[in-house]
């Protein structure tokens, strides 16, 4: 091929001097222990769901040496049913103990991992429709919202699904989330960084640099401290901050979305802070909703409004000419 005349493969094919006499190619195999992975047992017990879609519920213990639990199981789901997965909660797995890194990574729709205990970093990274719940034991002697329940980089790159965490987590929560719904009771620095979609509910403190580079999605934060939001985002109008009582009076769906997630959070995790919030709503709805601030990128909000207006007019925004008109409207602000 004429392009080959411009290639010099000599640096790639060069054989260096091997004065040590060591092998220059792979001579030994590696054992990653996959045959002993916890997922092997989960896959076996989930056979009815994998073969026919019949719901199953599995209970077992977990240790922090068990990493990427649920990922091989998720592979079996996707191999058989594709990206749409199974019906929600077709495979429910109740685990007790401490999960290792990447718990529930890339979990597809149809698998729900419930962990009573705690988890390490990267929980739910690449979540793809599955559900993850982490909670302390019901008889725990500590307050969950004052203690760490999972590590750093939770929900990184999640595209869909749900994560409910009764407790606080470390840094970079929901980074690059594009569609999952997450609830947690406190986060470290850089929460919701580069988030492009989905919903994050923070029922507690936020660390520094919150929502840096956030271009989509919604974050609902309890008792937000504006100084914790990334520098300049509020002042320059990159992010809009409004309390839920104001949005509720305007007739938006924000209060419904927020409360729906908190109710499910309380139901699944027995969250004390969530239950107290719901009790406050019964006594003083407006005052309680005033404690919740919605953060949303300004341009994302404009786009949502433009799409809603087009849909109300019966327009198909997949049509190129309609889409072009929407983009012009958004650009005008």
């Amino acid at each position: 091929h004429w392009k080959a005349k411009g290639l010099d493969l000599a640096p790639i094919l060069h054989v260096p001097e091997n004065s040590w006499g060591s092998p220059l190619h792979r001579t030994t195999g590696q054992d990653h222990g996959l045959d002993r992975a916890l997922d092997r047992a989960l896959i076996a017990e989930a056979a009815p769901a994998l073969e026919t879609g019949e719901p199953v519920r599995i209970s077992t213990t977990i240790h922090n040496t068990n990493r990427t639990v649920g990922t091989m199981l998720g592979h079996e789901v996707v191999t058989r049913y594709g990206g749409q997965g199974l019906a929600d909660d077709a495979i429910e797995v109740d685990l007790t103990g401490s999960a290792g890194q990447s718990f529930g990574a890339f979990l597809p729709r149809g698998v729900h991992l419930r962990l009573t205990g705690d988890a390490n970093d990267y929980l739910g990274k690449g979540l793809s429709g599955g559900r993850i719940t982490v909670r302390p034991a019901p008889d725990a002697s500590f307050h969950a919202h004052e203690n760490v329940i999972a590590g750093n980089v939770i929900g990184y790159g999640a595209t869909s699904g749900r994560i409910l965490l009764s407790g606080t987590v470390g840094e970079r929560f929901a980074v690059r989330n594009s569609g999952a719904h997450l609830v947690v009771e406190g986060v470290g620095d850089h929460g919701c960084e580069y988030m492009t979609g989905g919903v994050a509910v923070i029922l507690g403190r936020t660390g520094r640099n919150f929502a840096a580079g956030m271009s989509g999605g919604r974050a609902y934060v309890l008792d937000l401290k504006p100084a914790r939001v990334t520098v300049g985002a509020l002042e320059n109008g990159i992010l809009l901050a409004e309390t839920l009582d104001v949005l509720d009076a305007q007739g938006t769906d924000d209060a419904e979305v927020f409360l729906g997630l908190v109710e499910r959070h309380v139901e699944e995790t027995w969250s004390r802070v969530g239950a107290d919030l719901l009790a406050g709503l019964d006594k003083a709805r407006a005052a309680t909703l005033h404690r919740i601030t919605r953060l949303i990128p300004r341009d994302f909000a404009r786009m949502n409004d433009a799409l809603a207006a087009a849909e109300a007019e019966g327009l198909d925004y997949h049509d190129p000419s309609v889409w072009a008109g929407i983009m012009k409207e958004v650009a005008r602000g």
Side-chain angles (χ1 to χ4, degrees):
H1 193 277
W2 64 270
K3 288 184 178 180
K5 296 178 181 179
L7 294 177
D8 178 10
L9 301 181
I12 297 176
L13 300 177
H14 175 70
V15 179
E17 181 182 353
N18 186 16
S19 58
W20 298 279
S22 58
L24 300 179
H25 57 87
R26 186 179 70 86
T27 59
T28 59
Q30 290 183 324
D31 179 10
H32 296 286
L34 294 182
D35 59 324
R36 302 183 299 277
L38 177 58
D39 272 50
R40 295 293 188 191
L42 300 182
I43 291 168
E45 292 195 58
L50 294 173
E51 298 301 331
T52 66
E54 177 186 346
V56 298
R57 190 153 192 170
I58 305 165
S59 296
T60 188
T61 56
I62 188 171
H63 305 282
N64 60 10
T65 52
N66 300 128
R67 299 175 179 176
T68 65
V69 169
T71 303
M72 292 171 66
L73 173 60
H75 164 75
E76 296 297 327
V77 171
V78 174
T79 298
R80 290 167 169 79
Y81 299 98
Q84 74 274 13
L86 288 163
D88 288 328
D89 293 358
I91 302 174
E92 297 181 86
V93 183
D94 297 318
L95 299 151
T96 304
S98 294
Q101 292 183 341
S102 300
F103 180 69
F106 312 108
L107 201 68
R109 180 172 177 260
V111 183
H112 187 168
L113 302 180
R114 289 189 182 90
L115 171 61
T116 300
D118 54 23
N120 275 271
D121 300 338
Y122 310 114
L123 177 148
K125 69 181 180 185
L127 187 72
S128 302
R131 294 175 174 177
I132 301 174
T133 300
V134 186
R135 59 204 180 189
D139 58 351
S141 60
F142 56 85
H143 298 312
H145 64 283
E146 297 175 350
N147 289 270
V148 175
I149 194 78
N152 299 310
V153 201
I154 305 301
Y156 176 84
T159 60
S160 57
R162 189 183 72 208
I163 298 175
L164 306 177
L165 305 170
S166 181
T168 68
V169 299
E171 298 182 354
R172 291 195 153 84
F173 173 80
V175 171
R176 297 191 65 83
N177 174 40
S178 63
H181 291 187
L182 307 94
V183 182
V184 69
E185 297 172 0
V187 299
D189 297 341
H190 318 299
C192 298
E193 188 178 32
Y194 303 124
M195 186 163 145
T196 63
V199 177
V201 173
I202 319 295
L203 300 178
R205 68 176 296 278
T206 60
R208 299 170 299 171
N209 201 38
F210 188 77
M214 181 180 176
S215 61
R218 293 179 275 184
Y220 300 102
V221 185
L222 177 67
D223 298 330
L224 174 71
K225 290 181 171 60
R228 297 296 179 92
V229 179
T230 186
V231 175
L234 296 177
E235 296 82 353
N236 297 325
I238 298 171
L239 292 175
L240 303 178
E242 295 179 275
T243 56
L244 279 195
D245 57 325
V246 173
L247 295 170
D248 196 36
Q250 295 173 357
T252 72
D253 69 341
D254 290 280
E256 179 183 352
V257 171
F258 171 79
L259 294 176
L261 281 171
V262 174
E263 288 169 356
R264 182 53 60 90
H265 180 62
V266 172
E267 178 183 336
E268 288 281 356
T269 71
W270 320 303
S271 168
R272 175 179 172 181
V273 66
D276 289 346
L277 190 66
L278 295 177
L281 280 169
D282 294 336
K283 298 177 182 178
R285 179 180 174 87
T288 302
L289 291 180
H290 184 72
R291 297 180 60 196
I292 311 300
T293 300
R294 182 196 70 176
L295 289 175
I296 188 171
R298 177 190 59 185
D299 291 340
F300 182 75
R302 287 177 177 173
M303 178 63 75
N304 283 343
D305 291 342
L307 292 176
E311 189 173 358
E313 295 177 25
L315 301 176
D316 179 10
Y317 51 77
H318 294 97
D319 182 279
S321 61
V322 174
W323 180 254
I326 291 174
M327 294 302 293
K328 288 180 180 179
E329 188 67 27
V330 172
R332 281 197 295 267

mmCIF file of all heavy atoms in Angstrom, residues 241-272:
data_model
loop_
_atom_site.group_PDB
_atom_site.id
_atom_site.type_symbol
_atom_site.label_atom_id
_atom_site.label_comp_id
_atom_site.label_asym_id
_atom_site.label_seq_id
_atom_site.Cartn_x
_atom_site.Cartn_y
_atom_site.Cartn_z
ATOM 1 N N ALA A 241 -29.205 28.519 41.407
ATOM 2 C CA ALA A 241 -29.523 27.963 42.723
ATOM 3 C C ALA A 241 -30.867 28.517 43.180
ATOM 4 O O ALA A 241 -31.022 29.726 43.344
ATOM 5 C CB ALA A 241 -28.431 28.317 43.731
ATOM 6 N N GLU A 242 -31.837 27.625 43.368
ATOM 7 C CA GLU A 242 -33.160 28.018 43.850
ATOM 8 C C GLU A 242 -33.635 27.006 44.886
ATOM 9 O O GLU A 242 -33.374 25.809 44.747
ATOM 10 C CB GLU A 242 -34.167 28.086 42.704
ATOM 11 C CG GLU A 242 -33.882 29.166 41.673
ATOM 12 C CD GLU A 242 -34.911 29.163 40.555
ATOM 13 O OE1 GLU A 242 -34.722 28.385 39.601
ATOM 14 O OE2 GLU A 242 -35.901 29.910 40.637
ATOM 15 N N THR A 243 -34.336 27.486 45.886
ATOM 16 C CA THR A 243 -34.837 26.579 46.915
ATOM 17 C C THR A 243 -36.117 25.902 46.438
ATOM 18 O O THR A 243 -36.854 26.439 45.600
ATOM 19 C CB THR A 243 -35.084 27.334 48.229
ATOM 20 O OG1 THR A 243 -35.981 28.424 47.984
ATOM 21 C CG2 THR A 243 -33.778 27.859 48.806
ATOM 22 N N LEU A 244 -36.391 24.724 46.990
ATOM 23 C CA LEU A 244 -37.521 23.928 46.512
ATOM 24 C C LEU A 244 -38.871 24.561 46.819
ATOM 25 O O LEU A 244 -39.838 24.305 46.104
ATOM 26 C CB LEU A 244 -37.461 22.518 47.109
ATOM 27 C CG LEU A 244 -36.525 21.516 46.442
ATOM 28 C CD1 LEU A 244 -36.854 20.106 46.891
ATOM 29 C CD2 LEU A 244 -36.586 21.607 44.926
ATOM 30 N N ASP A 245 -38.970 25.382 47.868
ATOM 31 C CA ASP A 245 -40.251 26.027 48.134
ATOM 32 C C ASP A 245 -40.621 26.982 47.003
ATOM 33 O O ASP A 245 -41.789 27.066 46.600
ATOM 34 C CB ASP A 245 -40.229 26.756 49.484
ATOM 35 C CG ASP A 245 -39.114 27.785 49.567
ATOM 36 O OD1 ASP A 245 -38.040 27.547 49.002
ATOM 37 O OD2 ASP A 245 -39.318 28.827 50.222
ATOM 38 N N VAL A 246 -39.637 27.681 46.469
ATOM 39 C CA VAL A 246 -39.876 28.586 45.347
ATOM 40 C C VAL A 246 -40.255 27.791 44.102
ATOM 41 O O VAL A 246 -41.217 28.114 43.402
ATOM 42 C CB VAL A 246 -38.630 29.449 45.077
ATOM 43 C CG1 VAL A 246 -38.816 30.270 43.804
ATOM 44 C CG2 VAL A 246 -38.346 30.352 46.260
ATOM 45 N N LEU A 247 -39.514 26.740 43.824
ATOM 46 C CA LEU A 247 -39.802 25.914 42.648
ATOM 47 C C LEU A 247 -41.146 25.221 42.773
ATOM 48 O O LEU A 247 -41.875 25.060 41.787
ATOM 49 C CB LEU A 247 -38.687 24.884 42.464
ATOM 50 C CG LEU A 247 -37.305 25.461 42.128
ATOM 51 C CD1 LEU A 247 -36.247 24.374 42.226
ATOM 52 C CD2 LEU A 247 -37.303 26.080 40.733
ATOM 53 N N ASP A 248 -41.490 24.812 43.992
ATOM 54 C CA ASP A 248 -42.782 24.164 44.230
ATOM 55 C C ASP A 248 -43.924 25.126 43.933
ATOM 56 O O ASP A 248 -44.937 24.745 43.337
ATOM 57 C CB ASP A 248 -42.855 23.679 45.679
ATOM 58 C CG ASP A 248 -43.967 22.675 45.905
ATOM 59 O OD1 ASP A 248 -44.234 21.856 44.992
ATOM 60 O OD2 ASP A 248 -44.576 22.691 46.989
ATOM 61 N N ALA A 249 -43.762 26.385 44.324
ATOM 62 C CA ALA A 249 -44.790 27.398 44.071
ATOM 63 C C ALA A 249 -44.933 27.682 42.575
ATOM 64 O O ALA A 249 -46.019 28.059 42.102
ATOM 65 C CB ALA A 249 -44.452 28.682 44.824
ATOM 66 N N GLN A 250 -43.849 27.461 41.832
ATOM 67 C CA GLN A 250 -43.880 27.674 40.384
ATOM 68 C C GLN A 250 -44.474 26.488 39.635
ATOM 69 O O GLN A 250 -44.690 26.554 38.428
ATOM 70 C CB GLN A 250 -42.463 27.950 39.868
ATOM 71 C CG GLN A 250 -41.858 29.243 40.393
ATOM 72 C CD GLN A 250 -40.398 29.386 40.003
ATOM 73 O OE1 GLN A 250 -39.799 28.497 39.373
ATOM 74 N NE2 GLN A 250 -39.795 30.511 40.372
ATOM 75 N N GLY A 251 -44.721 25.390 40.351
ATOM 76 C CA GLY A 251 -45.332 24.215 39.737
ATOM 77 C C GLY A 251 -44.369 23.296 39.018
ATOM 78 O O GLY A 251 -44.796 22.481 38.190
ATOM 79 N N THR A 252 -43.067 23.380 39.322
ATOM 80 C CA THR A 252 -42.117 22.453 38.701
ATOM 81 C C THR A 252 -42.238 21.069 39.352
ATOM 82 O O THR A 252 -42.888 20.910 40.380
ATOM 83 C CB THR A 252 -40.670 22.956 38.854
ATOM 84 O OG1 THR A 252 -40.265 22.818 40.223
ATOM 85 C CG2 THR A 252 -40.556 24.417 38.430
ATOM 86 N N ASP A 253 -41.568 20.093 38.760
ATOM 87 C CA ASP A 253 -41.629 18.731 39.310
ATOM 88 C C ASP A 253 -40.511 18.462 40.302
ATOM 89 O O ASP A 253 -40.335 17.328 40.748
ATOM 90 C CB ASP A 253 -41.565 17.708 38.180
ATOM 91 C CG ASP A 253 -40.189 17.662 37.498
ATOM 92 O OD1 ASP A 253 -39.420 18.643 37.636
ATOM 93 O OD2 ASP A 253 -39.899 16.669 36.816
ATOM 94 N N ASP A 254 -39.743 19.489 40.676
ATOM 95 C CA ASP A 254 -38.560 19.273 41.498
ATOM 96 C C ASP A 254 -38.878 18.694 42.875
ATOM 97 O O ASP A 254 -38.187 17.788 43.350
ATOM 98 C CB ASP A 254 -37.785 20.580 41.647
ATOM 99 C CG ASP A 254 -37.131 20.992 40.343
ATOM 100 O OD1 ASP A 254 -36.073 20.436 40.020
ATOM 101 O OD2 ASP A 254 -37.708 21.829 39.627
ATOM 102 N N ALA A 255 -39.899 19.225 43.525
ATOM 103 C CA ALA A 255 -40.259 18.701 44.847
ATOM 104 C C ALA A 255 -40.688 17.245 44.740
ATOM 105 O O ALA A 255 -40.332 16.412 45.591
ATOM 106 C CB ALA A 255 -41.379 19.544 45.460
ATOM 107 N N GLU A 256 -41.400 16.913 43.689
ATOM 108 C CA GLU A 256 -41.852 15.529 43.488
ATOM 109 C C GLU A 256 -40.669 14.597 43.270
ATOM 110 O O GLU A 256 -40.594 13.501 43.853
ATOM 111 C CB GLU A 256 -42.788 15.476 42.280
ATOM 112 C CG GLU A 256 -43.308 14.090 41.951
ATOM 113 C CD GLU A 256 -44.177 14.064 40.715
ATOM 114 O OE1 GLU A 256 -44.499 15.138 40.183
ATOM 115 O OE2 GLU A 256 -44.528 12.949 40.272
ATOM 116 N N VAL A 257 -39.718 15.025 42.440
ATOM 117 C CA VAL A 257 -38.526 14.209 42.176
ATOM 118 C C VAL A 257 -37.714 14.023 43.451
ATOM 119 O O VAL A 257 -37.311 12.906 43.802
ATOM 120 C CB VAL A 257 -37.659 14.860 41.078
ATOM 121 C CG1 VAL A 257 -36.311 14.148 40.956
ATOM 122 C CG2 VAL A 257 -38.389 14.839 39.741
ATOM 123 N N PHE A 258 -37.473 15.119 44.167
ATOM 124 C CA PHE A 258 -36.681 15.071 45.387
ATOM 125 C C PHE A 258 -37.334 14.182 46.439
ATOM 126 O O PHE A 258 -36.699 13.287 47.008
ATOM 127 C CB PHE A 258 -36.493 16.494 45.926
ATOM 128 C CG PHE A 258 -35.872 16.549 47.289
ATOM 129 C CD1 PHE A 258 -34.508 16.388 47.449
ATOM 130 C CD2 PHE A 258 -36.651 16.757 48.416
ATOM 131 C CE1 PHE A 258 -33.924 16.428 48.710
ATOM 132 C CE2 PHE A 258 -36.085 16.798 49.678
ATOM 133 C CZ PHE A 258 -34.716 16.635 49.825
ATOM 134 N N LEU A 259 -38.614 14.416 46.711
ATOM 135 C CA LEU A 259 -39.298 13.663 47.758
ATOM 136 C C LEU A 259 -39.442 12.189 47.392
ATOM 137 O O LEU A 259 -39.365 11.319 48.258
ATOM 138 C CB LEU A 259 -40.669 14.280 48.033
ATOM 139 C CG LEU A 259 -40.631 15.689 48.644
ATOM 140 C CD1 LEU A 259 -42.030 16.250 48.780
ATOM 141 C CD2 LEU A 259 -39.933 15.664 49.991
ATOM 142 N N GLY A 260 -39.637 11.906 46.110
ATOM 143 C CA GLY A 260 -39.726 10.516 45.687
ATOM 144 C C GLY A 260 -38.441 9.757 45.991
ATOM 145 O O GLY A 260 -38.468 8.614 46.465
ATOM 146 N N LEU A 261 -37.304 10.395 45.743
ATOM 147 C CA LEU A 261 -36.023 9.754 46.032
ATOM 148 C C LEU A 261 -35.777 9.620 47.530
ATOM 149 O O LEU A 261 -35.271 8.590 48.003
ATOM 150 C CB LEU A 261 -34.884 10.549 45.387
ATOM 151 C CG LEU A 261 -34.691 10.317 43.889
ATOM 152 C CD1 LEU A 261 -33.700 11.315 43.309
ATOM 153 C CD2 LEU A 261 -34.216 8.887 43.622
ATOM 154 N N VAL A 262 -36.141 10.646 48.296
ATOM 155 C CA VAL A 262 -35.938 10.577 49.743
ATOM 156 C C VAL A 262 -36.827 9.500 50.365
ATOM 157 O O VAL A 262 -36.398 8.756 51.251
ATOM 158 C CB VAL A 262 -36.202 11.948 50.403
ATOM 159 C CG1 VAL A 262 -36.142 11.842 51.922
ATOM 160 C CG2 VAL A 262 -35.178 12.971 49.920
ATOM 161 N N GLU A 263 -38.059 9.404 49.901
ATOM 162 C CA GLU A 263 -38.954 8.368 50.423
ATOM 163 C C GLU A 263 -38.395 6.975 50.146
ATOM 164 O O GLU A 263 -38.431 6.091 51.013
ATOM 165 C CB GLU A 263 -40.345 8.537 49.803
ATOM 166 C CG GLU A 263 -41.105 9.748 50.343
ATOM 167 C CD GLU A 263 -42.357 10.045 49.539
ATOM 168 O OE1 GLU A 263 -42.596 9.348 48.515
ATOM 169 O OE2 GLU A 263 -43.090 10.983 49.918
ATOM 170 N N ARG A 264 -37.893 6.756 48.950
ATOM 171 C CA ARG A 264 -37.309 5.457 48.631
ATOM 172 C C ARG A 264 -36.033 5.220 49.445
ATOM 173 O O ARG A 264 -35.759 4.099 49.889
ATOM 174 C CB ARG A 264 -37.015 5.383 47.132
ATOM 175 C CG ARG A 264 -36.438 4.039 46.676
ATOM 176 C CD ARG A 264 -37.298 2.867 47.132
ATOM 177 N NE ARG A 264 -38.625 2.924 46.614
ATOM 178 C CZ ARG A 264 -39.020 2.381 45.465
ATOM 179 N NH1 ARG A 264 -38.141 1.749 44.711
ATOM 180 N NH2 ARG A 264 -40.269 2.462 45.080
ATOM 181 N N HIS A 265 -35.279 6.286 49.655
ATOM 182 C CA HIS A 265 -34.060 6.210 50.461
ATOM 183 C C HIS A 265 -34.390 5.749 51.881
ATOM 184 O O HIS A 265 -33.717 4.862 52.433
ATOM 185 C CB HIS A 265 -33.392 7.583 50.479
ATOM 186 C CG HIS A 265 -32.130 7.653 51.278
ATOM 187 N ND1 HIS A 265 -31.006 6.918 50.976
ATOM 188 C CD2 HIS A 265 -31.805 8.384 52.379
ATOM 189 C CE1 HIS A 265 -30.045 7.189 51.840
ATOM 190 N NE2 HIS A 265 -30.505 8.073 52.713
ATOM 191 N N VAL A 266 -35.406 6.328 52.463
ATOM 192 C CA VAL A 266 -35.812 5.956 53.827
ATOM 193 C C VAL A 266 -36.316 4.517 53.849
ATOM 194 O O VAL A 266 -35.990 3.735 54.756
ATOM 195 C CB VAL A 266 -36.884 6.924 54.351
ATOM 196 C CG1 VAL A 266 -37.454 6.441 55.682
ATOM 197 C CG2 VAL A 266 -36.299 8.328 54.501
ATOM 198 N N GLU A 267 -37.098 4.151 52.867
ATOM 199 C CA GLU A 267 -37.658 2.796 52.794
ATOM 200 C C GLU A 267 -36.560 1.742 52.687
ATOM 201 O O GLU A 267 -36.617 0.697 53.335
ATOM 202 C CB GLU A 267 -38.587 2.700 51.583
ATOM 203 C CG GLU A 267 -39.198 1.334 51.369
ATOM 204 C CD GLU A 267 -40.047 1.268 50.110
ATOM 205 O OE1 GLU A 267 -40.535 2.331 49.668
ATOM 206 O OE2 GLU A 267 -40.213 0.159 49.571
ATOM 207 N N GLU A 268 -35.521 2.027 51.880
ATOM 208 C CA GLU A 268 -34.482 1.037 51.618
ATOM 209 C C GLU A 268 -33.373 1.038 52.669
ATOM 210 O O GLU A 268 -32.776 -0.014 52.941
ATOM 211 C CB GLU A 268 -33.863 1.283 50.239
ATOM 212 C CG GLU A 268 -34.770 0.931 49.074
ATOM 213 C CD GLU A 268 -34.816 -0.561 48.799
ATOM 214 O OE1 GLU A 268 -34.083 -1.321 49.463
ATOM 215 O OE2 GLU A 268 -35.592 -0.971 47.928
ATOM 216 N N THR A 269 -33.051 2.201 53.241
ATOM 217 C CA THR A 269 -31.871 2.292 54.106
ATOM 218 C C THR A 269 -32.203 2.578 55.559
ATOM 219 O O THR A 269 -31.294 2.603 56.391
ATOM 220 C CB THR A 269 -30.927 3.408 53.617
ATOM 221 O OG1 THR A 269 -31.518 4.690 53.870
ATOM 222 C CG2 THR A 269 -30.620 3.271 52.131
ATOM 223 N N TRP A 270 -33.459 2.836 55.878
ATOM 224 C CA TRP A 270 -33.888 3.193 57.241
ATOM 225 C C TRP A 270 -33.210 4.490 57.698
ATOM 226 O O TRP A 270 -32.898 4.680 58.876
ATOM 227 C CB TRP A 270 -33.573 2.069 58.235
ATOM 228 C CG TRP A 270 -33.840 0.701 57.684
ATOM 229 C CD1 TRP A 270 -35.021 0.230 57.188
ATOM 230 C CD2 TRP A 270 -32.915 -0.383 57.555
ATOM 231 N NE1 TRP A 270 -34.889 -1.066 56.774
ATOM 232 C CE2 TRP A 270 -33.610 -1.475 56.990
ATOM 233 C CE3 TRP A 270 -31.563 -0.548 57.887
ATOM 234 C CZ2 TRP A 270 -33.001 -2.702 56.728
ATOM 235 C CZ3 TRP A 270 -30.952 -1.768 57.622
ATOM 236 C CH2 TRP A 270 -31.673 -2.825 57.044
ATOM 237 N N SER A 271 -32.975 5.384 56.764
ATOM 238 C CA SER A 271 -32.241 6.620 57.035
ATOM 239 C C SER A 271 -32.952 7.493 58.067
ATOM 240 O O SER A 271 -34.119 7.852 57.902
ATOM 241 C CB SER A 271 -32.077 7.422 55.740
ATOM 242 O OG SER A 271 -31.631 8.730 56.000
ATOM 243 N N ARG A 272 -32.221 7.858 59.117
ATOM 244 C CA ARG A 272 -32.769 8.735 60.146
ATOM 245 C C ARG A 272 -32.902 10.162 59.626
ATOM 246 O O ARG A 272 -33.928 10.822 59.847
ATOM 247 C CB ARG A 272 -31.866 8.705 61.377
ATOM 248 C CG ARG A 272 -32.296 9.685 62.466
ATOM 249 C CD ARG A 272 -31.386 9.599 63.676
ATOM 250 N NE ARG A 272 -31.664 10.650 64.638
ATOM 251 C CZ ARG A 272 -31.000 10.810 65.773
ATOM 252 N NH1 ARG A 272 -30.018 9.975 66.090
ATOM 253 N NH2 ARG A 272 -31.298 11.796 66.589
#
